[in-house]
């Protein structure tokens, strides 16, 4: 995942929204409904490359900050859920900075914070367990209404896997992606990965996962060496 956050205009942002965000109406509370409707369109789009407009969602959170009576916790939940699967790691925290402690105590918001921690620690199997492991609770509610959430998250995790490993057990990939063995084998076939008889997947070499030899050289001047030897003789 990229650590940078991009405020470039997404190709799917309508002119009406762009003019709102760049004009004097940016913090007009009467425009809250417009941005909420735009968020709904983002959530209905399953393509992770075009379905997230951070600038618009931050503007909506800022409006809630200025107009607490108009705040909608479910909208905030969806904004955070969208930011959770953004390719820019900083998006979630930028949204979080605009929320009060009381908002963060909401059950759904607090659950998203826990999930964020799992992702930051690369504890992906723990993430899925937290999301879907308790059959007694409505675990899916925190991402309810976010089209393509699971697949978007899998793409992020997969990027981490291919940047970290050269070889890895197919079963471990399955745990990280919350996929069964057949799904992992299909994924390997789609990407052209080799899987041996022991279930070990060979991933292509890239700059991030290739081992590099590092040679450290220290330059010590003769004058420094003589001082060191003299000091050793005095001990």
């Amino acid at each position: 995942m990229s650590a940078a956050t991009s405020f470039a205009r997404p190709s799917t942002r309508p002119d009406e929204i762009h003019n709102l965000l760049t004009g004097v109406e940016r913090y007009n509370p009467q425009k809250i409904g417009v941005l909420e409707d735009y968020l709904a369109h983002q959530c209905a789009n399953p393509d992770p490359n075009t379905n997230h407009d951070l600038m618009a969602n931050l503007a909506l959170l800022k409006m809630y900050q200025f107009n607490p009576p108009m705040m909608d916790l479910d909208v905030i939940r969806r904004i955070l859920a969208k930011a959770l699967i953004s390719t820019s790691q900083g998006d979630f925290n930028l949204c979080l900075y605009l929320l009060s402690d009381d908002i963060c105590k909401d059950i759904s918001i607090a659950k998203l914070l826990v999930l964020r921690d799992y992702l930051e620690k690369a504890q992906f199997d723990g993430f899925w367990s937290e999301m879907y492991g308790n059959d007694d609770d409505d675990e899916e509610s925190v991402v309810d209404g976010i089209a393509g959430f699971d697949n978007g998250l899998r793409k992020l995790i997969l990027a981490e896997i291919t940047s970290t490993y050269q070889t890895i057990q197919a079963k471990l990939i399955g745990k990280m992606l919350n996929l069964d063995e057949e799904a992992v084998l299909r994924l390997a076939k789609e990407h052209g990965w080799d899987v041996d008889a022991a279930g070990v997947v060979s991933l292509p070499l890239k700059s991030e996962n290739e081992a590099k030899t590092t040679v450290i050289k220290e330059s010590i001047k003769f004058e420094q060496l003589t001082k060191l030897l003299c000091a050793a003789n005095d001990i």
Side-chain angles (χ1 to χ4, degrees):
M1 287 180 280
S2 170
T5 294
S6 174
F7 289 99
R9 177 181 179 177
S11 60
T12 53
R13 180 192 292 169
D15 289 338
E16 177 190 5
I17 299 297
H18 188 71
N19 293 335
L20 171 60
L21 296 177
T22 57
V24 296
E25 297 290 314
R26 180 181 175 91
Y27 297 119
N28 181 350
Q30 296 181 353
K31 300 297 183 179
I32 287 179
V34 175
L35 290 178
E36 288 175 340
D37 289 342
Y38 180 45
L39 173 64
H41 285 292
Q42 294 177 56
C43 293
N45 179 1
D47 183 358
N49 296 318
T50 62
N51 66 2
H52 180 55
D53 192 335
L54 176 65
M55 187 175 178
N57 296 339
L58 288 176
L60 179 52
L61 291 178
K62 197 68 177 177
M63 285 192 184
Y64 284 161
Q65 196 176 48
F66 291 153
N67 305 275
M70 305 182 74
M71 181 185 67
D72 187 329
L73 280 174
D74 190 60
V75 169
I76 295 175
R77 172 191 64 79
R78 284 184 284 149
I79 288 176
L80 289 178
K82 293 290 295 177
L84 198 62
I85 56 174
S86 169
T87 55
S88 300
Q89 290 179 329
D91 289 10
F92 189 94
N93 286 336
L94 284 175
C95 295
L96 196 60
Y97 295 150
L98 296 176
L99 305 181
S100 67
D101 291 341
D102 288 339
I103 293 175
C104 292
K105 292 177 183 177
D106 174 78
I107 294 177
S108 294
I109 307 301
K111 183 65 170 287
L112 286 167
L113 294 178
V114 172
L115 294 175
R116 185 276 311 267
D117 289 342
Y118 276 114
L119 291 182
E120 287 189 342
K121 297 173 184 177
Q123 297 175 350
F124 303 126
D125 55 340
F127 177 95
W128 296 111
S129 179
E130 182 71 21
M131 275 277 291
Y132 300 119
N134 192 338
D135 294 334
D136 295 332
D137 297 330
D138 185 10
E139 297 292 339
E140 213 167 348
S141 62
V142 291
V143 297
D144 183 48
I146 310 298
F149 180 90
D150 285 5
N151 287 335
L153 182 59
R154 287 189 180 106
K155 288 184 178 181
L156 295 181
I157 297 174
L158 192 59
E160 294 293 322
I161 293 173
T162 57
S163 296
T164 305
Y165 296 92
Q166 292 183 5
T167 60
I168 181 174
Q169 286 284 343
K171 289 182 179 180
L172 183 54
I173 294 179
K175 288 182 178 180
M176 290 181 172
L177 298 179
N178 196 36
L179 295 173
D180 59 29
E181 185 177 356
E182 290 185 5
V184 173
L185 293 178
R186 287 196 302 269
L187 184 68
K189 185 176 181 180
E190 290 173 5
H191 288 82
W193 301 335
D194 292 328
V195 184
D196 66 18
V200 177
V201 181
S202 296
L203 302 174
L205 291 179
K206 52 199 302 189
S207 59
E208 294 88 350
N209 70 357
E210 187 174 8
K212 298 179 179 66
T213 301
T214 301
V215 178
I216 300 176
K217 295 183 179 179
E218 294 186 5
S219 178
I220 301 177
K221 296 181 179 179
F222 181 75
E223 294 82 359
Q224 294 173 314
L225 183 59
T226 56
K227 290 180 181 179
L228 179 62
L229 294 174
C230 290
N233 289 329
D234 293 338
I235 296 176

